[in-house]
Amino acid sequence: MLLKLQKHVFALSFVLILLFFFFHYLGYNTESLISIYLFLSVWGIEKCISWQLGYKIGVAPMITIPVNANRQIRLLGLSWGVVISILGFYNLFSVLAT
C-alpha cells in the first residue's frame, strides 16, 4: 500500500510542477506560487516515503542516497525531505493567508 502511495505522490508532484509552468506562462502569479509550494511539500513527502520503504532517496537531480548507504546518511536524506516539506507548507500557508 505504501508503494502505491509513493507512486501516486510522485505523479501528483509531477502534475504540480506542470501546473506551475502553466500558471506562470498564463501570468497567474499567486496560483503559480501555490502550485510550486504544493510541489515542494509533496516532493518532500515522497522522499520520506522512499526512506520508509528503503528505496534510494533522490535529494537532487544528480545526487541520490543509495539503499545500502550508512544509516546516518539515510537519516540525513529523511531530514532533507522533512525540511523541504515544512518549508513548502510554511510558504503555502503564508501565501494563502495574504
Side-chain angles (χ1 to χ4, degrees), residues 6-97:
Q6 183 201 20
K7 290 180 182 179
H8 283 73
V9 167
F10 182 77
L12 179 63
S13 66
F14 185 72
V15 168
L16 286 170
I17 198 72
L18 288 177
L19 278 175
F20 163 71
F21 288 121
F22 179 71
F23 286 138
H24 183 70
Y25 177 75
L26 293 178
Y28 296 126
N29 294 330
T30 305
E31 289 83 358
S32 65
L33 277 176
I34 289 172
S35 62
I36 198 67
Y37 292 147
L38 277 171
F39 164 75
L40 285 175
S41 303
V42 170
W43 186 71
I45 290 170
E46 194 266 330
K47 301 305 166 203
C48 297
I49 294 172
S50 294
W51 180 83
Q52 180 66 31
L53 288 172
Y55 292 163
K56 68 179 182 178
I57 302 170
V59 293
M62 298 296 287
I63 301 171
T64 59
I65 298 173
V67 176
N68 58 355
N70 193 354
R71 179 143 173 91
Q72 287 82 16
I73 294 174
R74 288 194 55 82
L75 195 60
L76 182 66
L78 173 67
S79 301
W80 176 255
V82 169
V83 166
I84 292 298
S85 289
I86 290 171
L87 180 70
F89 281 124
Y90 176 77
N91 288 329
L92 175 68
F93 292 139
S94 67
V95 166
L96 290 176

